[in-house]
Amino acid sequence: MARVRRNKSYKLAKIYDRRSRELPFNADVTEVEVDNPLALDSGEKILAVRSIRGDPLGRLHAHHQIDEAQYLGGRAFQNDWERAERGPQAMDPTREYVDGARTREPVTERQRQAVLRLNRVERELGTDGAALVHDVLILGLTMDQIAVRRAVRTQRWNDYFARRFRECLDRLALVYGFATATGAQRAERRG
């Protein structure tokens, strides 16, 4: 059987755009650069579409209202909160059935370290700052919703909460090691 000849203009390494062009009417997305999971070389990046609809931190970062260090500090706080939280747990069918007695699972070292970091963050931010960060990063509230919860409904208060939240993100970046004190002091003098 004769071998089929290929056209010389045919390229095997043709790049295809696999991003979705049809989005739901209420979608709120942004393009982000992420590591390529199929890359042969480490460090290769691809563009992906990420939903920022229910993610206030992602929305602020996508609209360039916070920098990379503030974003990473906020994500580290969220990660520690999720790790330390011991909320409702599903039943494990692999465990032996015991009538009505359910033993508590021991606290892992990762959970303990996350709680210690969260305690340090609360000391650094203060009571009001910790509550504000919790409302935005954990509960996903907007500045308007925070103002309503605190019974202050003017634009001036919304601006104050936004400014205070960015200050708290600066502090989180320092605590988690994504920024240095000299860089934060320079940014503070500029703002």
Side-chain angles (χ1 to χ4, degrees):
M1 182 172 193
R3 185 173 173 182
V4 177
R5 293 183 184 236
R6 290 194 173 157
N7 188 356
K8 297 284 183 190
S9 65
Y10 181 77
K11 294 185 181 186
L12 291 176
K14 189 172 184 179
I15 299 174
Y16 294 98
D17 185 9
R18 296 182 180 156
R19 291 174 288 181
S20 175
R21 297 287 178 227
E22 298 175 10
L23 296 171
F25 74 94
N26 60 349
D28 193 5
V29 297
T30 185
E31 285 187 353
V32 293
E33 195 173 273
V34 297
D35 291 330
N36 186 357
L38 303 175
L40 298 176
D41 299 327
S42 64
E44 283 188 36
K45 303 282 186 181
I46 60 171
L47 284 178
V49 178
R50 179 178 71 187
S51 174
I52 57 173
R53 185 170 157 205
D55 183 15
L57 191 65
R59 177 185 306 281
L60 290 171
H61 189 252
H63 292 295
H64 304 290
Q65 294 174 347
I66 60 174
D67 62 10
E68 190 71 20
Q70 291 171 322
Y71 175 75
L72 292 173
R75 286 289 184 232
F77 176 83
Q78 288 174 329
N79 188 26
D80 278 347
W81 185 268
E82 289 171 5
R83 191 171 290 150
E85 185 180 39
R86 294 185 64 105
Q89 297 174 353
M91 272 210 36
D92 187 3
T94 61
R95 294 183 71 186
E96 184 177 331
Y97 177 76
V98 179
D99 253 350
R102 191 171 149 185
T103 60
R104 294 194 69 165
E105 294 180 17
V107 176
T108 65
E109 182 62 25
R110 290 176 62 183
Q111 287 173 323
R112 194 179 76 75
Q113 291 297 323
V115 168
L116 291 175
R117 282 191 299 270
L118 288 174
N119 289 339
R120 180 173 177 222
V121 163
E122 188 169 358
R123 280 193 312 271
E124 291 282 331
L125 296 179
T127 306
D128 188 48
L132 181 63
V133 166
H134 180 270
D135 287 347
V136 176
L137 296 182
I138 305 304
L139 300 179
L141 300 179
T142 64
M143 297 306 154
D144 290 331
Q145 293 169 331
I146 292 170
V148 168
R149 285 181 78 179
R150 297 183 183 194
V152 288
R153 294 189 172 118
T154 62
Q155 184 61 39
R156 189 171 181 183
W157 278 104
N158 287 353
D159 294 342
Y160 167 75
F161 290 136
R163 190 172 51 252
R164 179 73 172 110
F165 179 65
R166 281 193 291 278
E167 290 171 2
C168 291
L169 286 177
D170 283 336
R171 183 61 63 183
L172 285 176
L174 283 172
V175 169
Y176 284 107
F178 296 113
T180 60
T182 57
Q185 290 168 350
R186 265 188 264 121
E188 191 176 292
R189 275 185 257 139
R190 273 186 284 144

